[in-house]
Amino acid sequence: MEHYDIIVIGGGSGGLAVAERAAPHGARVAVFDPKPLGGTCVNEGCVPKKLTWYAAEHAAQARDAHEFGVDVELKGVRYADLAKKRRAMLKDLNQFWAGHLEKLGVTHIPERARLTGKDKVISESGTEYTAKRIVLAMGGAPLVPPLDGAELGATSDDFFEWTDLPKSIAVIGAGYIGLEMAGMLCSMGVKTDVVAMEDRVLEMFDPMVSQVLDQHMEHQGIRRHLGVKVAGLGGKPGAVTVKIEDGQELGPYEKVLWAVGRKPATGDMGLDEAGVEIARDGTVPVDKWQATNVDGIYALGDIIGKAPLTPVAIAAGRRLADHWYTPEKNPVPVDYEQIPTVTFTHPTAGMVGLTEPQAVERFGDSVRVYETQFGGLDRAFAEGQTPPVAMKLVCAEEDEKVVGIHMIGPHVDEMLQGFAVAVRMGATKRDLDLTIPLHPTSAEELVTLKEARPGRQTGLAKAKAA
Ligand SMILES: Cc1cc2nc3c(=O)[nH]c(=O)nc-3n(C[C@H](O)[C@H](O)[C@H](O)COP(=O)(O)OP(=O)(O)OC[C@H]3O[C@@H](n4cnc5c(N)ncnc54)[C@H](O)[C@@H]3O)c2cc1C
């Protein structure tokens, strides 16, 4: 039986982070993963998504270029070419990780693994291993609901296998993955509908962002069927219909995409045998240092069910290794309160901290909201009405500490990172006011907001008077 200091199950964002941070300290580390290294982010998530988003964005810009006198004719998107280049780039990343682990002396075992005890693992081929520490980092998979005809729908994993674009699609789900896919497809010329149970798109975000994104989707011609429950899929491959619970039937569409969430890959992992607690939704509860209820077994990344994002999984993995090997440097556990997040919709949307409703729930009447909607210079020559760029600052308490920032518009994905640092450092509205704006940009709006929205101001006055 082979023994390691650390066995990592899952070679994705979180698993690779803990392995690469621990190995230089002399730890004997093995990473199990039957798939090419990199996990969801590299193979079926962030990276192929962002590459596809760039294609969609170039198409949108080519379409609008004539407004500035630039003579371009958009003939279409050669999707097969894009898919081929994308595949090649992902392969490079897989190879990078394989080489990087080898250099670090980390063993990659290209097999599925499961627990057989609190310090034991068995590979698919039946080899047993023991370890002082086991890190569970299996990520998740797209959820396909058990509905009639569900198999006629594709998932985000399938999306990245397509080498041509459908003529029409219904995306089921209005969370970030569904809306990103809908935005990209529409921008590349696919007739796109979104069908979702939620009453507004991007429900996790501040209502202002949902509302403005909805206007952009309307402008782009994406039809939204919101507040409806899907009962199943009908028709046949290539002409799929979406059956709604009230008896309506939408479509047919050439393709239907399920984007109704992801499930943690914790089934059939031997967690019961090892005594690891699993929550009802399949996630693994952990403490602030990723420890499960079983000594020596840790869990991180998407399977813990908090903020399923690549940088969060990476931070958890690195900080866990630091906690083990360099405690003298006072590593801190991941703070789940102030995680910036963006969606690569068209346009991009982003947030850090609390939404306005969350802030009101926490800080009551002391909440002050500063917001603006405006037309960016990039749309200065657009014909007719175009949906706005929108920004909101949510501040709280006497010193107007910034507790939430929300934005939707071009490039907000790139703008938000710096503002997230400011929020983490406890910036107040006055700090933003004292910052010299960068002109002419859209970002400057966030440091030049003047009047708080009436109503909440009254609330603060009330709180002070009390
Ligand atoms: C379409 C899409 C777009 C996304 N876009 C973004 C984005 O823009 N930004 C962002 O921050 N996040 C994004 N994410 C989320 C991000 O990909 C995940 O949060 C991140 O990959 C989670 O990392 P992880 O380490 O938990 O798991 P993963 O990266 O999912 O890795 C888990 C690995 O474990 C392996 N595994 C599973 N079971 C076993 C087993 N029994 N034995 C061995 N190996 C096993 C799997 O093969 C997989 O490689 C996106 C996700 C999707 C699906």
Side-chain angles (χ1 to χ4, degrees):
M1 202 179 291
E2 247 185 285
H3 181 79
Y4 286 92
D5 295 320
I6 304 169
I7 282 183
V8 182
I9 307 185
S13 309
L16 291 172
V18 71
E20 88 172 325
R21 192 55 79 93
H25 295 283
R28 275 200 81 211
V29 187
V31 175
F32 284 84
D33 201 319
K35 289 199 187 170
L37 290 170
T40 303
C41 180
V42 166
N43 295 302
E44 300 107 4
C46 336
V47 180
K49 184 268 300 285
K50 188 79 189 273
L51 294 171
T52 315
W53 180 85
Y54 274 121
E57 191 67 4
H58 285 307
Q61 288 189 2
R63 219 172 274 128
D64 295 339
H66 68 94
E67 292 165 7
F68 284 81
V70 179
D71 203 3
V72 187
E73 191 194 343
L74 178 65
K75 291 190 184 145
V77 176
R78 288 196 308 275
Y79 199 72
D81 286 0
L82 170 68
K84 196 171 157 200
K85 286 188 185 167
R86 199 176 56 193
R87 179 55 45 212
M89 174 154 187
L90 305 186
K91 215 169 155 196
D92 281 353
L93 288 173
N94 299 143
Q95 279 165 359
F96 160 79
W97 275 109
H100 187 50
L101 289 197
E102 202 180 323
K103 268 193 225 136
L104 288 169
V106 174
T107 309
H108 172 210
I109 302 171
E111 289 191 61
R112 246 187 82 83
R114 63 194 301 279
L115 301 176
T116 50
K118 90 184 227 354
D119 57 355
K120 284 196 198 73
V121 156
I122 188 164
S123 72
E124 238 173 345
S125 60
T127 312
E128 290 190 305
Y129 302 82
T130 55
K132 196 166 130 207
R133 290 169 170 144
I134 296 175
V135 180
L136 307 172
M138 295 87 67
L143 192 76
V144 176
L147 297 175
D148 259 8
E151 68 287 351
L152 287 165
T155 65
S156 59
D157 288 0
D158 302 319
F159 173 92
F160 293 116
E161 295 297 325
W162 299 345
T163 51
D164 53 13
L165 290 171
K167 294 215 162 27
S168 61
I169 193 159
V171 175
I172 305 179
Y176 89 93
I177 293 181
L179 295 177
E180 287 179 342
M181 304 242 157
M184 293 188 285
L185 288 161
C186 173
S187 185
M188 291 188 289
V190 180
K191 190 169 172 292
T192 307
D193 284 8
V194 169
V195 186
M197 215 159 66
E198 298 92 330
D199 290 322
R200 62 177 168 106
V201 296
L202 223 48
E203 215 177 28
M204 268 179 67
F205 278 61
D206 191 271
M208 175 199 74
V209 169
S210 302
Q211 191 221 333
V212 173
L213 179 59
D214 197 69
Q215 290 174 36
H216 281 273
M217 292 172 80
E218 171 73 23
H219 187 72
Q220 289 152 14
I222 302 177
R223 282 195 303 174
R224 287 92 56 231
H225 305 270
L226 299 176
V228 297
K229 265 194 156 170
V230 172
L233 303 183
K236 55 181 186 189
V240 186
T241 59
V242 179
K243 296 178 183 167
I244 308 297
E245 266 192 4
D246 67 4
Q248 261 192 87
E249 197 159 357
L250 305 171
Y253 304 94
E254 189 176 332
K255 288 214 191 282
V256 168
L257 190 78
W258 289 113
V260 291
R262 292 174 61 79
K263 56 174 188 305
T266 48
D268 191 25
M269 278 298 304
L271 299 187
D272 284 347
E273 280 151 82
V276 177
E277 188 189 338
I278 316 178
R280 246 168 204 279
D281 61 0
T283 58
V284 180
V286 289
D287 72 5
K288 67 177 182 177
W289 286 113
Q290 316 301 141
T292 68
N293 61 314
V294 176
D295 232 22
I297 302 187
Y298 301 81
L300 49 81
D302 285 9
I303 58 163
I304 69 164
K306 290 180 187 180
L309 293 165
T310 283
V312 177
I314 293 176
R318 288 187 181 159
R319 293 180 196 197
L320 179 58
D322 291 347
H323 174 63
W324 289 334
Y325 293 101
T326 52
E328 71 285 359
K329 290 189 179 159
N330 293 325
V332 287
V334 177
D335 173 4
Y336 289 89
E337 279 264 307
Q338 290 171 343
I339 294 171
T341 180
V342 297
T343 68
F344 293 95
T345 39
H346 292 266
T348 45
M351 67 177 278
V352 59
L354 304 175
T355 62
E356 183 181 340
Q358 287 168 340
V360 170
E361 209 180 310
R362 189 173 309 177
F363 297 103
D365 272 350
S366 80
V367 171
R368 277 183 165 210
V369 174
Y370 297 80
E371 63 192 343
T372 179
Q373 297 199 3
F374 58 96
L377 277 184
D378 61 324
R379 307 297 293 135
F381 305 129
E383 281 157 26
Q385 279 270 315
T386 56
V389 174
M391 298 188 174
K392 181 189 269 191
L393 279 184
V394 183
C395 305
E397 304 195 308
E398 194 89 13
D399 60 350
E400 291 200 273
K401 190 168 161 187
V402 180
V403 295
I405 296 186
H406 308 275
M407 321 186 213
I408 174 163
H411 312 301
V412 303
D413 52 326
E414 298 291 349
M415 279 176 216
L416 188 65
Q417 190 73 75
F419 282 104
V421 176
V423 170
R424 211 193 78 76
M425 293 177 75
T428 61
K429 174 72 170 65
R430 185 172 154 77
D431 291 319
L432 299 196
D433 291 343
L434 292 177
T435 303
I436 303 288
L438 278 164
H439 182 74
T441 65
S442 292
E444 68 179 317
E445 295 290 331
L446 271 182
V447 296
T448 52
L449 289 166
K450 289 199 180 63
E451 295 290 325
R453 197 171 62 210
R456 294 244 169 267
Q457 238 168 342
T458 326
L460 185 69
K462 240 188 339 191
K464 275 185 180 165

